[in-house]
Amino acid sequence: DNGLMNMPFFYTNAHAQIIIGGDAKNNWLTQQVMDSGLLEARRVGYPTSVTFNEDEQDTLATFVMMDSYVDQMVAKFVTGELALSDSEWDAYVNNVTMMDLDGLIEVRQSAYDRWSSK
């Protein structure tokens, strides 16, 4: 699951023709995401062929709660349940930072660097 990467964006008629149910004239969701600034905050998909060593796998297992929290918060921001205000965003960033976001980034970056150097 890649969060907002899975959202249906209809930029042009060419895109709409290859997306089932796509309609470039009815791009309300795309416009909402762009207007909210969430397009820049979306979670970009991680290459599926990246492998993690045993220690990295053990470390990544501790981040299950963070993944769940991020998914829940993205849904709340997208649906408007939570306003994308400075205070809500700052609280979200503080929470993922306290969940050791830097540690998660370090492990994933290590594995990605190994993968990209092949």
Side-chain angles (χ1 to χ4, degrees), residues 8 17 19-20 22 26 32 47 51 53 75-77 90 95 101 106:
Q17 290 172 7
I19 299 173
I20 296 173
N26 186 15
Q32 292 300 308
T51 58
N53 63 37
K76 288 178 181 182
F77 285 132
D90 289 345
N95 283 336
L101 177 61
E106 183 180 327

Side-chain angles (χ1 to χ4, degrees), residues 90-108:
D90 289 345
Y92 168 70
V93 170
N94 286 336
N95 283 336
V96 292
T97 300
M98 289 185 337
M99 293 175 170
D100 194 20
L101 177 61
D102 291 337
L104 173 63
I105 291 170
E106 183 180 327
V107 169
R108 292 186 68 138

Side-chain angles (χ1 to χ4, degrees), residues 65 67-77 81-82:
M65 286 179 52
D67 285 343
S68 176
Y69 173 73
V70 168
D71 289 343
Q72 289 173 21
M73 293 303 290
V74 166
K76 288 178 181 182
F77 285 132
E81 184 178 335
L82 284 177

Side-chain angles (χ1 to χ4, degrees), residues 4-103:
L4 291 174
M5 287 297 291
N6 293 329
M7 294 179 69
F9 290 100
F10 308 129
Y11 297 113
T12 66
N13 280 323
H15 287 94
Q17 290 172 7
I18 61 171
I19 299 173
I20 296 173
D23 179 0
K25 293 178 185 171
N26 186 15
N27 65 349
W28 179 85
L29 181 57
T30 299
Q31 197 58 52
Q32 292 300 308
V33 171
M34 288 183 175
D35 290 348
S36 71
L38 286 173
L39 184 62
E40 290 77 21
R42 73 179 184 209
R43 289 169 44 192
V44 176
Y46 198 74
T48 55
S49 57
V50 171
T51 58
F52 299 94
N53 63 37
E54 191 174 332
D55 289 338
E56 290 169 338
Q57 289 176 29
D58 290 344
T59 302
L60 288 173
T62 65
F63 291 105
V64 171
M65 286 179 52
M66 182 191 302
D67 285 343
S68 176
Y69 173 73
V70 168
D71 289 343
Q72 289 173 21
M73 293 303 290
V74 166
K76 288 178 181 182
F77 285 132
V78 169
T79 62
E81 184 178 335
L82 284 177
L84 192 53
S85 64
D86 288 343
S87 63
E88 292 290 352
W89 182 254
D90 289 345
Y92 168 70
V93 170
N94 286 336
N95 283 336
V96 292
T97 300
M98 289 185 337
M99 293 175 170
D100 194 20
L101 177 61
D102 291 337

